[in-house]
C-alpha cells in the first residue's frame, strides 16, 4: 500500500526515530533527485520565496547557478 507523503509528514515532530527514518529514505533516493536544483526541490522552494543554499568553495561562499548543472 502506498502512503500519502503529505499526510505522513504532517506528523513530523523531529524526534530521533523520525530523523533516522528520514535519513534511511534519503539514502534510498537517487542522487539526481536530491540535487539542489532538481525539479521537485525548485518547485518546493518556490522561486524567490526561499533563499538558495550557499555552496562552499575554497574561494568562499557563492550561490550555485542552476544552469551550471
Amino acid at each position: 500500500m502506498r502512503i500519502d507523503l503529505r499526510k505522513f509528514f504532517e506528523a513530523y515532530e523531529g524526534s530521533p526515530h523520525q530523523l533516522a527514518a528520514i535519513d534511511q529514505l534519503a539514502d534510498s533516493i537517487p542522487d539526481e533527485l536530491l540535487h539542489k536544483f532538481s525539479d521537485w526541490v525548485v518547485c518546493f522552494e518556490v522561486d524567490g520565496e526561499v533563499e538558495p543554499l550557499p555552496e562552499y568553495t575554497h574561494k568562499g561562499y557563492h550561490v550555485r547557478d542552476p544552469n551550471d548543472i
Side-chain angles (χ1 to χ4, degrees):
M1 174 179 9
R2 186 178 169 117
I3 63 168
D4 179 340
L5 285 176
R6 293 178 192 175
K7 188 173 183 178
F8 192 78
F9 281 105
E10 285 177 1
Y12 177 74
E13 295 176 354
S15 59
H17 70 279
Q18 290 174 330
L19 295 173
I22 290 170
D23 289 342
Q24 289 177 356
L25 177 61
D27 288 344
S28 67
I29 294 174
D31 287 342
E32 60 270 12
L33 290 178
L34 294 176
H35 190 277
K36 174 67 181 159
F37 298 107
S38 65
D39 290 342
W40 79 270
V41 173
V42 171
C43 179
F44 184 87
E45 291 181 339
V46 184
D47 188 34
E49 186 174 319
V50 177
E51 289 293 321
L53 294 174
E55 179 179 292
Y56 180 76
T57 67
H58 68 282
K59 295 180 182 178
Y61 287 93
H62 72 279
V63 175
R64 186 175 173 152
D65 183 343
N67 297 319
D68 290 343
I69 297 174

